[in-house]
Amino acid sequence: MPEVKPGTRLKSVVCSGEAMVVKGTDIILTCGGVPMIGPDESAPENSVADPEHMFECLIGKRYVNAEESVELLCVKAGEGSFGVDGQMLMGKETKKLPSSD
């Protein structure tokens, strides 16, 4: 597991999902309930996804924990859900831009 800090890119070992850390340090991020790895690492052969953590991650969407102390940007869509410390991350609401009328 690589050192996690803003700008770190990680990939899932149970699906095609990939993410970049926007906020958060010294955490273990998961996808599909299994710890994510660095882009240059090879996946363990016996990784099995937790069916309760398979709710899809969407490219371009940001994901945060309840406290918003962790934020990820999905850079490649996959079948698994991102998580941290056993808690699944939820999609971050987008902010409306002011109109320029």
Side-chain angles (χ1 to χ4, degrees), residues 5-21:
K5 59 184 181 182
T8 302
R9 201 164 164 158
L10 300 166
K11 67 180 181 179
S12 173
V13 298
V14 295
C15 72
S16 59
E18 292 185 18
M20 184 172 59
V21 178

Side-chain angles (χ1 to χ4, degrees), residues 5-98:
K5 59 184 181 182
T8 302
R9 201 164 164 158
L10 300 166
K11 67 180 181 179
S12 173
V13 298
V14 295
C15 72
S16 59
E18 292 185 18
M20 184 172 59
V21 178
V22 176
K23 186 194 301 184
T25 56
D26 300 326
I27 49 178
I28 296 177
L29 295 165
T30 62
C31 185
V34 180
M36 297 177 77
I37 60 174
D40 299 330
E41 296 179 49
S42 56
E45 292 182 26
N46 56 357
S47 298
V48 178
D50 180 346
E52 303 231 347
H53 289 254
M54 296 299 285
F55 292 105
E56 194 172 45
C57 52
L58 304 173
I59 191 167
K61 184 114 176 113
R62 290 176 183 258
Y63 293 87
V64 295
N65 61 350
E67 300 82 30
E68 294 195 16
S69 60
V70 175
E71 184 175 335
L72 299 181
L73 172 64
C74 180
V75 294
K76 187 173 181 186
E79 300 79 33
S81 296
F82 298 127
V84 63
D85 297 330
Q87 172 189 11
M88 281 197 300
L89 301 181
M90 56 195 157
K92 185 175 182 180
E93 294 297 318
T94 56
K95 296 178 184 175
K96 284 195 152 207
L97 297 173

